[in-house]
């Protein structure tokens, strides 16, 4: 029996996602239980279903969507919350890879670039390291990616009432899992303003509905359970006694060597590829929102991954085999360094890794970087 080519490719993508999930579950097993965050997620899931006498110190109950299944199964079937959280994160991890490739397919990239996009996604260190820690980070990546995919998929056909309701549901589930997934709404708004003006009113109504429902749920949680809502939490962070924390090393480590491709890609688009100008504007528009949280970390910056991947892939499109091999080595290097840093505190590795990779990048991309003005012609 002949299997259609599209089905084979889907299976390969799925197997690729499973492979990376298996690797990271084993590789970063020693980080699984986060002593600061995980106990509060566990307690929040219990409190959501009526448990008393326990405390959620970080108001994780304000992320109720990712707590529903773990809390439900624990309350009625006595299934451990940590087990359900891990399975849930595995599904989010695999789904993020699948919809990253599907979004690239929607942009008319070949199968090899779809696979390369999934590779880039999974070799960004905050995704590799934190996806299987029992917290909600990977849920944010998943809902950002699937919301963008569903919007652009629907936009390529038609946007009707069913599409708006579905998209609103995805966005609402996202921000009730991880507030950073609201970045998808920012990009949708940008695209609507630039290319979809006829639907501005409908999108505005949809966003107003999402914000209204989200605010009502946060008020209900705060009133019912006595915890500070996520809106109040953010406001307190910016008006309280805590200083705004920004560390350059956290910014750099969020994308590691991929910053070179992101910067090169944005400039390349502005100078050569006006057809893809939306990629660059989306990336630049996303940047200010990455610094809203008063403690800037690699995890908070990496939420732009679904958008930055478009730019990286476009930059790679005209690359030769050696240049693509360099990226593959760089991605593997990202994860190798991250493992050694978290497992053996080998922070001194990063400057060496960055220096070697930068040198190789400049050598292999010299002509291309000269053409877009990133380095001078000799």
């Amino acid at each position: 029996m002949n299997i259609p080519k599209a089905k084979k490719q889907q299976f390969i993508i799925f197997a690729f996602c499973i492979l990376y999930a298996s690797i990271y579950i084993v590789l970063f097993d020693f980080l699984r239980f986060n002593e600061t965050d995980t106990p509060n997620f566990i307690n929040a899931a219990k409190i959501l279903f009526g448990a008393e006498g326990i405390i959620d110190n970080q108001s994780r109950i304000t992320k109720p969507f990712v707590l529903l299944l773990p809390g439900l199964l624990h309350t009625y079937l006595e299934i451990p919350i940590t087990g359900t959280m891990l399975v849930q994160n595995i599904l989010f991890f695999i789904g993020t890879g699948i919809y990253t490739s599907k979004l690239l397919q929607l942009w008319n990239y070949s199968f090899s670039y779809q696979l390369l996009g999934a590779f880039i996604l999974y070799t960004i260190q905050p995704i590799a390291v934190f996806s299987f820690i029992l917290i909600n980070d990977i849920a944010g990546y998943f809902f950002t990616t699937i919301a963008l995919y569903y919007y652009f998929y629907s936009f390529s056909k038609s946007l009707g009432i069913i599409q708006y309701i579905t998209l609103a549901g995805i966005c609402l589930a996202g921000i009730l899992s991880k507030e950073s997934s609201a970045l998808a709404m920012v990009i949708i708004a940008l695209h609507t303003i630039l290319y979809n003006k006829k639907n501005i009113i409908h999108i505005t109504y949809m966003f107003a509905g999402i914000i209204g429902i989200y605010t009502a749920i946060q008020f209900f949680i705060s009133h019912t359970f006595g915890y500070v809502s996520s809106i109040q939490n953010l406001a307190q962070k910016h008006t309280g006694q805590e200083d705004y924390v920004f560390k350059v090393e956290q910014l750099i480590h969020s994308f590691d060597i991929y910053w070179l491709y992101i910067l090169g890609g944005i400039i390349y688009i502005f100078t050569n590829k006006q057809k893809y100008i939306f990629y660059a504007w989306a990336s630049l528009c996303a940047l200010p929102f990455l610094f809203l949280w008063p403690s800037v970390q690699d995890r908070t910056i990496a939420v732009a991954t679904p958008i930055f991947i478009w730019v990286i892939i476009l930059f790679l499109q005209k690359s030769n085999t050696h240049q693509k091999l360099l990226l593959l080595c760089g991605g593997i290097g990202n994860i190798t360094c991250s493992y050694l840093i978290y497992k053996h505190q080998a922070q001194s590795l990063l400057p060496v890794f960055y220096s070697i990779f930068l040198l190789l990048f400049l050598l292999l991309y010299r002509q291309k970087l000269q053409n877009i003005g990133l380095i001078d012609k000799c």
Side-chain angles (χ1 to χ4, degrees):
M1 180 178 68
N2 290 326
I3 301 175
K5 183 178 179 181
K7 293 291 185 182
K8 289 181 181 177
Q9 292 177 348
Q10 290 172 10
F11 176 78
I12 292 171
I13 293 287
F14 179 71
F16 186 82
C17 297
I18 291 285
L19 173 64
Y20 267 88
S22 303
I23 291 171
Y24 293 154
I25 286 172
V26 174
L27 192 64
F28 295 107
D29 174 69
F30 63 97
L31 295 173
R32 179 85 66 245
F33 194 87
N34 186 298
E35 294 294 342
T36 301
D37 294 331
T38 305
N40 288 293
F41 277 106
I42 294 171
N43 286 349
K46 294 176 180 178
I47 293 168
L48 192 63
F49 284 85
E52 297 179 350
I54 52 177
I55 298 175
D56 167 17
N57 289 323
Q58 296 175 316
S59 292
R60 296 306 183 187
I61 199 169
T62 59
K63 286 90 169 146
F65 192 83
V66 290
L67 303 175
L68 285 174
L69 188 60
L72 183 69
L73 295 181
H74 173 76
T75 302
Y76 296 104
L77 297 177
E78 298 185 355
I79 295 174
I81 289 175
T82 52
T84 306
M85 287 176 67
L86 178 59
V87 172
Q88 192 169 255
N89 282 6
I90 291 170
L91 295 176
F92 285 142
F93 182 88
I94 294 169
T96 305
I98 290 172
Y99 279 97
T100 293
S101 66
K102 287 175 76 70
L103 191 49
L104 291 171
Q105 183 182 33
L106 203 61
W107 295 134
N108 295 316
Y109 287 109
S110 67
F111 173 68
S112 60
Y113 284 106
Q114 295 168 37
L115 200 59
L116 190 57
F119 171 82
I120 294 168
L121 171 77
Y122 288 148
T123 50
I124 291 171
Q125 75 87 12
I127 294 176
V129 172
F130 295 105
S131 287
F132 300 112
I133 293 178
L134 301 180
I135 53 178
N136 61 336
D137 283 25
I138 188 60
Y141 297 113
F142 171 76
F143 283 111
T144 301
T145 304
I146 196 171
L148 290 171
Y149 170 77
Y150 189 80
Y151 169 77
F152 287 112
Y153 175 79
S154 300
F155 175 76
S156 67
K157 298 180 182 298
S158 64
L159 282 166
I161 185 65
I162 299 300
Q163 285 73 32
Y164 282 117
I165 292 173
T166 304
L167 181 58
I170 293 170
C171 291
L172 190 59
I175 57 177
L176 287 172
S177 299
K178 181 81 173 175
E179 295 88 348
S180 61
S181 64
L183 184 63
M185 295 169 63
V186 174
I187 303 307
I188 290 168
L190 176 66
H191 187 270
T192 302
I193 292 168
L194 294 177
Y195 305 106
N196 193 18
K197 290 183 175 63
K198 65 179 182 179
N199 287 325
I200 284 180
I201 299 298
H202 295 130
I203 292 291
T204 301
Y205 286 151
M206 184 187 76
F207 281 2
I210 292 169
I211 293 169
I213 295 171
Y214 176 77
T215 303
I217 291 173
Q218 291 298 314
F219 176 80
F220 173 79
I221 289 172
S222 179
H223 183 265
T224 303
F225 299 102
Y227 287 93
V228 174
S229 71
S230 60
I231 301 167
Q232 293 171 314
N233 188 27
L234 182 61
Q236 289 177 0
K237 290 285 186 181
H238 282 282
T239 59
Q241 299 300 314
E242 296 181 31
D243 293 329
Y244 190 91
V245 179
F246 176 81
K247 296 181 179 179
V248 174
E249 59 269 28
Q250 287 287 308
L251 174 64
I252 296 171
H253 198 32
S254 58
F255 286 98
D256 293 308
I257 59 96
Y258 289 130
W259 279 117
L260 295 170
Y261 295 90
I262 294 165
L263 175 62
I266 291 173
I267 296 175
Y268 180 64
I269 292 168
F270 277 122
T271 54
N272 294 279
K273 292 284 184 181
Q274 289 298 311
K275 177 183 175 183
Y276 298 97
I277 196 70
F278 177 70
Y279 294 179
W281 284 125
S283 299
L284 295 176
C285 183
L287 283 174
F289 292 93
L290 306 182
F291 300 92
L292 283 179
W293 189 249
S295 178
V296 178
Q297 303 172 24
D298 49 7
R299 294 162 57 193
T300 63
I301 300 299
V303 298
T305 294
I307 297 105
F308 285 170
I309 285 177
W310 308 340
V311 175
I312 297 171
I313 291 293
L314 182 65
F315 188 74
L316 287 172
Q317 226 180 1
K318 301 298 181 181
S319 301
N320 60 39
T321 302
H322 291 99
Q323 292 164 340
K324 289 171 183 172
L325 285 173
L326 177 66
L327 178 127
L328 295 176
C329 293
I332 294 169
N334 284 348
I335 304 309
T336 302
C337 287
S338 296
Y339 172 77
L340 293 173
I341 287 170
Y342 282 98
K343 185 70 174 177
H344 301 290
Q345 291 73 53
Q347 282 83 354
S348 58
L349 273 179
L350 277 181
V352 176
F353 171 57
Y354 291 158
S355 300
I356 293 172
F357 191 88
L358 177 61
L359 178 61
L360 293 173
F361 181 85
L362 293 174
L363 287 173
L364 287 177
Y365 279 98
R366 183 177 181 81
Q367 184 61 50
K368 189 171 188 175
L369 295 176
Q370 287 176 343
N371 290 340
I372 63 177
L374 276 181
I375 60 175
D376 294 330
K377 296 181 179 180
C378 297

